Amino acid sequence: MGHIGHFTKRITFAMATATSVLYLAGCGSTPEPTSAPKIINTEPVEAPVKQHITPEHKLVEAKKVWLQTRDKVKRDTLLLDAVGLYIAQDDTILAQQILFEMKQDGVATSLQDSYAIHVAMAYQNDPSSSPAQLTAMLEDVNTSPALVAKLAALEADLYAKQGLWAKAANSVLSTELEDEQKVAKVWSLLNQIPRDELAQSENQYPELQPFFALRQLTIESARNPQQLNRSIAQYQQVYAGHMLAQHLPKDVALAQALTAPQIRELVVLLPLSGRLAATGEAVKDGIMAGYYQQLQQSSNPNNMPAIRFVDTTNADTPTLVAAIGDAKFIVGPLLKETVEQLIPALPPGVNMLALNRPDEMPTISDSSASVISASANSTPLNPEAVNAEPEMPSTTAPAVNYFALAPEDEANQLAEFIYSKGFRAPIVIAAQSNLYQRMNDAFKSRWNTLHEQEAQARKANITSVTFNDSESLREGITQALDVAQSNQRINQIEYMTNEEVYNMPRSRRDIDAIVAFASPQDTELLNPIIEASLNPYDGKQVPVYATSRSMDYNSGKNQWRDLQNVRFIDMPWMMPDHKWQQLAHQTNQTWPDRSTLQNRLFAFGVDAYELLPQLGMLTTLSYITFDGLTGTLTLNKNSEVERNLPQAVIRNERVQMLME
């Protein structure tokens, strides 16, 4: 109770003081005279310790200044000092109240710049405030030398909240941070910029050029640790006088210490018999294709790993652990339940790239080990291990990363892309199978999250259509587009007038995109229904979007005719004019009758083999990407490989790449 009472008194005192200072009327009374003080001789005492300045001190001082001098500028300067102190101790409500009272009383011209900065500081973390509006308020501020650093720090925060990463980083350069702190902050911000926007950002902010140069050289040399070391050493010579040369970002320093892992034996866990044999064999073929590509490029074939394939069908966990033996590198298993069961039992010191990811991450048995140390025949993929004191291999925890062709990932990417294009009222059409309902749920969840992040007051606008056959599909689409209701209104008018009404049924005009989660066969049916249901006189095209699960490249030209204008995402490997034409020619000759699904699984196997030795670098440098057959690959903080897929559209019965 005592603490609460003191806190209440402090707020009451502060608010009363601020109000008494700001209201001019009634503040002109003169203090009553007092008698002269008596002088008492005392022994000298030590000087008191300097008292910590609080916002309340500034408020009292402001009141005194006003009572004694009626100097509004001096008073308001002290009030702004109080505001700054309140903000420093996170009492933003009190800071905002004082700023409001100052605005009501009028802010002197000489203090308006400082006032604007303090307002932005007081509201920069307020959920109800707009970073864009606060930034706009600061655009006309003529900063005095004393305010340059404060304004720069404020703008850096506001720009970052708007995703203006380069602008935020440029502001950091003008703050009062130490060089090492500046490097860390700028580097963190610039690594948020997508690779295709780097050149434009570099041209806009020449002072950031050394940072862009360092990022670019790490991207170009990431696959070859020796080349990366040489490039960084050369960079430090070229930029010897720059703070980056003296304070390399921590992740770059860690990347310098990495060496290419020496994979002497690779164990691959796949279902190679039973009902999933064809699936496992397609992945196996991809892994072997990756192996032979590496063999052709290798200058020393003796350094190639020995590969052992283990059939996981009907194999229990002890059997798989025994099959792994002393091997330190594993690819697989492919089935989610096998991944979940195997991870807790993995031998120490193992590096595994699982070809699926569990719904909940299993606990690794040797959780006491915090780093992965190098064993005699391998280099750790965990970057934190490079500077760690080596332990005995028997005490090192396994390192597990997850690479999956999860359908939910495609739904999430589609939601993010459509939302970024400014669409806000889509119709989502999903078949009633488990696969497409999972994609439907993932899309809606991601869509709602994006909507909430934009702090929109109204509910996210999604119209849902679920179907299980062609009849329910047609009925669902026409109802969602309001075509059925339009036909009903036409019939009602004809009945009332007893005359035929010459009119076209009209579709809803608020719909701006249509998303389909359906099989290739169902998508071929729904696209013509959508085109027939949309009003041709609106002059507005409503784009139809789909995922790779709606595409079958073995169906012939009739499919492409029925999918005219459908936009979709898919693996680079499935797109025309990709960069692996020689490999595609070889696989087509070897497996001319391979299905679309098997082709995708083949690409999955190639990427898994080539990705394994790159995981250490992908973990260390978060902005590094791996351009694989299955997509542009990155590794997130949960050790999950994320895929970004290119976009295409069906035009004139052909697949055409989209560069948007």
Side-chain angles (χ1 to χ4, degrees):
M1 288 295 293
H3 176 73
I4 295 174
H6 175 72
F7 182 71
T8 304
K9 288 179 182 178
R10 182 169 66 82
I11 291 184
T12 303
F13 170 75
M15 295 305 300
T17 304
T19 304
S20 67
V21 170
L22 291 167
Y23 282 98
L24 304 183
C27 292
S29 58
T30 305
E32 295 181 5
T34 57
S35 56
K38 294 180 181 180
I39 299 175
I40 301 174
N41 293 324
T42 59
E43 292 294 327
V45 296
E46 293 182 6
V49 178
K50 187 176 180 181
Q51 189 176 7
H52 175 66
I53 301 298
T54 66
E56 290 77 15
H57 288 138
K58 291 294 182 181
L59 293 175
V60 171
E61 194 175 347
K63 182 178 181 180
K64 286 181 180 179
V65 165
W66 177 250
L67 291 174
Q68 293 172 5
T69 67
R70 285 295 194 268
D71 189 325
K72 188 170 183 296
V73 173
K74 286 185 178 180
R75 181 200 70 182
D76 288 358
T77 300
L78 291 166
L79 290 177
L80 289 175
D81 289 342
V83 168
L85 291 169
Y86 275 132
I87 293 171
Q89 62 188 36
D90 290 330
D91 283 339
T92 54
I93 293 177
L94 293 180
Q96 292 169 7
Q97 181 63 35
I98 295 174
L99 291 166
F100 176 76
E101 299 289 354
M102 289 180 68
K103 182 179 180 181
Q104 295 293 101
D105 189 44
V107 181
T109 303
S110 61
L111 293 178
Q112 284 181 353
D113 291 340
S114 180
Y115 176 82
I117 291 173
H118 282 84
V119 169
M121 290 171 60
Y123 286 91
Q124 72 183 107
N125 295 318
D126 191 321
S128 63
S129 66
S130 164
Q133 291 178 343
L134 295 177
T135 304
M137 187 178 66
L138 298 172
E139 286 179 356
D140 297 328
V141 169
N142 295 316
T143 312
S144 64
L147 294 175
V148 168
K150 184 178 290 187
L151 177 62
L154 178 59
E155 288 181 327
D157 178 69
L158 294 174
Y159 288 139
K161 287 177 178 175
Q162 298 170 70
L164 303 173
W165 308 116
K167 214 167 187 178
N170 197 57
S171 294
V172 170
L173 296 178
S174 299
T175 64
E176 292 180 330
L177 294 173
E178 298 290 336
D179 283 354
E180 189 171 2
Q181 294 173 310
K182 280 185 182 179
V183 166
K185 185 69 174 175
V186 170
W187 190 248
S188 174
L189 290 165
L190 292 187
N191 287 342
Q192 307 295 322
I193 301 174
R195 188 190 295 190
D196 57 358
E197 297 177 14
L198 287 175
Q200 180 183 354
S201 298
E202 185 174 355
N203 291 334
Q204 285 182 300
Y205 304 100
E207 289 188 14
L208 295 173
Q209 194 276 333
F211 290 90
F212 288 115
L214 180 59
R215 175 170 161 169
Q216 188 58 37
L217 77 84
T218 55
I219 289 173
E220 293 172 354
S221 306
R223 287 205 178 195
N224 187 330
Q226 291 180 334
Q227 178 59 45
L228 179 65
N229 274 312
R230 289 193 294 268
S231 298
I232 292 175
Q234 184 179 3
Y235 173 90
Q236 288 177 306
Q237 291 179 353
V238 173
Y239 293 94
H242 195 273
M243 56 184 169
L244 259 177
Q246 302 299 321
H247 306 286
L248 277 178
K250 287 185 178 180
D251 56 354
V252 175
L254 276 172
Q256 268 190 301
L258 290 177
T259 56
Q262 299 299 312
I263 305 176
R264 304 192 184 282
E265 182 181 21
L266 174 63
V267 174
V268 182
L269 308 174
L270 292 170
L272 299 174
S273 61
R275 64 182 182 86
L276 293 175
T279 298
E281 287 292 342
V283 177
K284 177 182 177 181
D285 292 339
I287 289 174
M288 291 309 300
Y291 174 87
Y292 285 119
Q293 282 191 123
Q294 183 187 13
L295 181 62
Q296 290 175 356
Q297 299 167 2
S298 176
S299 58
N300 186 357
N302 293 327
N303 288 336
M304 296 293 295
I307 302 180
R308 283 195 292 117
F309 288 93
V310 176
D311 186 2
T312 59
T313 304
N314 298 326
D316 58 15
T317 300
T319 300
L320 295 179
V321 171
I324 292 170
D326 295 330
K328 297 303 178 184
F329 292 90
I330 305 170
V331 169
L334 183 64
L335 300 183
K336 183 179 295 188
E337 56 268 27
T338 312
V339 172
E340 292 173 337
Q341 294 165 10
L342 179 61
I343 289 177
L346 281 174
V350 163
N351 293 283
M352 183 170 89
L353 178 61
L355 298 182
N356 212 321
R357 62 170 185 254
D359 296 324
E360 294 184 8
M361 296 302 174
T363 302
I364 293 177
S365 58
D366 190 2
S367 58
S368 60
S370 59
V371 296
I372 300 174
S373 58
S375 64
N377 63 344
S378 66
T379 299
L381 296 185
N382 185 335
E384 297 296 334
V386 293
N387 293 324
E389 191 69 28
E391 301 179 36
M392 294 299 293
S394 61
T395 65
T396 57
V400 182
N401 293 278
Y402 305 91
F403 184 25
L405 300 181
E408 292 88 347
D409 294 346
E410 293 190 35
N412 287 330
Q413 182 181 332
L414 208 54
E416 290 170 3
F417 174 74
I418 294 172
Y419 201 91
S420 71
K421 297 292 288 183
F423 299 124
R424 293 296 180 270
I427 291 178
V428 181
I429 304 170
Q432 279 187 337
S433 73
N434 178 58
L435 170 67
Y436 298 112
Q437 286 302 310
R438 282 166 53 195
M439 299 177 80
N440 182 32
D441 293 341
F443 180 93
K444 290 178 179 177
S445 176
R446 185 61 185 144
W447 187 270
N448 289 330
T449 299
L450 293 167
H451 199 83
E452 291 167 5
Q453 288 174 351
E454 211 173 69
Q456 301 209 10
R458 59 189 177 87
K459 188 178 179 182
N461 184 12
I462 293 182
T463 303
S464 294
V465 174
T466 302
F467 69 93
N468 55 16
D469 55 30
S470 58
E471 185 60 33
S472 61
L473 172 62
R474 184 181 300 276
E475 183 180 343
I477 292 174
T478 55
Q479 285 184 353
L481 289 170
D482 206 18
V483 175
Q485 291 85 338
S486 178
N487 270 320
Q488 187 178 17
R489 289 191 290 270
I490 292 171
N491 293 335
Q492 287 174 344
I493 294 171
E494 288 179 342
Y495 176 79
M496 293 171 64
T497 61
N498 201 26
E499 293 182 5
E500 185 176 357
V501 177
Y502 295 96
N503 203 346
M504 287 281 294
R506 294 183 177 274
S507 58
R508 287 169 55 183
R509 298 190 181 187
D510 61 321
I511 296 300
D512 53 16
I514 296 174
V515 182
F517 297 121
S519 68
Q521 296 75 23
D522 285 335
T523 308
E524 288 179 50
L525 290 174
L526 70 84
N527 190 52
I529 296 173
I530 292 169
E531 288 191 337
S533 301
L534 292 172
N535 182 13
Y537 300 110
D538 282 345
K540 169 184 158 185
Q541 286 229 345
V542 179
V544 178
Y545 291 92
T547 68
S548 69
R549 306 286 173 152
S550 293
M551 297 296 139
D552 184 352
Y553 296 84
N554 293 10
S555 291
K557 282 197 170 184
N558 286 342
Q559 174 191 234
W560 304 132
R561 181 192 62 207
D562 292 334
L563 294 178
Q564 176 72 5
N565 295 325
V566 171
R567 299 161 182 257
F568 67 98
I569 55 176
D570 206 342
M571 294 180 180
W573 173 247
M574 307 304 294
M575 297 293 181
D577 303 323
H578 59 66
K579 64 180 182 181
W580 303 279
Q581 294 300 319
Q582 183 178 354
L583 179 61
H585 177 70
Q586 293 171 348
T587 56
N588 288 336
Q589 284 189 322
T590 307
W591 301 286
D593 299 323
R594 177 160 273 176
S595 69
T596 296
L597 175 59
Q598 288 174 321
N599 274 327
R600 291 195 180 107
L601 291 170
F602 172 86
F604 187 43
V606 174
D607 278 0
Y609 181 81
E610 295 188 347
L611 190 62
L612 183 65
Q614 303 300 323
L615 290 173
M617 196 65 73
L618 289 170
T619 302
T620 307
L621 301 176
S622 60
Y623 55 88
I624 294 293
T625 60
F626 180 94
D627 293 326
L629 282 69
T630 60
T632 301
L633 310 179
T634 56
L635 198 64
N636 67 23
K637 293 180 180 179
N638 296 322
S639 301
E640 298 168 341
V641 177
E642 294 184 352
R643 294 189 304 134
N644 187 271
L645 304 180
Q647 302 160 48
V649 64
I650 310 300
R651 289 190 181 133
N652 301 321
E653 300 183 10
R654 294 186 61 191
V655 177
Q656 297 182 15
M657 295 289 293
L658 287 174
M659 306 305 293
E660 58 177 346

